[in-house]
Amino acid sequence: MSAITADLQMIRRLTRFDPWAVMIFLALAIGSTFAASYWWGRTMIREAMTTNYQQIGLRTHFTETGLVLTWDEARLSLSECQAGERSVPCLIFRTQE
């Protein structure tokens, strides 16, 4: 009987959680949830941007230094436009007729 009591006490000691262990586990769980949510949201925004650019003829290429845009010359042409008193480069969208 004393062996069973000793075993039960050892099981109780091994299964007792320290409040700090519970707090650390909860903090890690919340942190990993936020990290996964951030990564998923960033991926969805990138996909939406790519789709929107493709609709007007722009192709996106994500590189280490940033976003590179190329365009379909059949749909877009590079030109000079007036922005107030300044002359700036612009892309003009040709509608498909």
Side-chain angles (χ1 to χ4, degrees):
M1 188 68 164
S2 65
I4 294 174
T5 305
D7 288 343
L8 286 174
Q9 288 176 353
M10 183 181 70
I11 290 172
R12 283 189 192 116
R13 268 185 305 189
L14 292 175
T15 58
R16 190 176 2 178
F17 291 111
D18 187 36
W20 288 107
V22 173
M23 293 298 289
I24 289 170
F25 173 75
L26 288 175
L28 288 174
I30 291 169
S32 63
T33 302
F34 279 125
S37 175
Y38 171 77
W39 177 80
W40 181 78
R42 184 175 161 155
T43 303
M44 291 295 106
I45 290 170
R46 184 176 281 189
E47 289 291 323
M49 283 176 41
T50 300
T51 302
N52 287 338
Y53 288 143
Q54 286 175 350
Q55 288 177 349
I56 61 170
L58 290 171
R59 286 190 278 313
T60 57
H61 307 281
F62 293 97
T63 65
E64 292 177 5
T65 57
L67 177 66
V68 176
L69 297 173
T70 58
W71 61 89
D72 180 5
E73 293 179 11
R75 296 178 70 187
L76 295 169
S77 63
L78 183 61
S79 184
E80 290 284 324
C81 298
Q82 284 299 119
E85 297 179 8
R86 295 181 348 169
S87 180
V88 294
C90 62
L91 288 171
I92 297 178
F93 182 69
R94 295 185 206 149
T95 57
Q96 304 288 329
E97 295 178 16

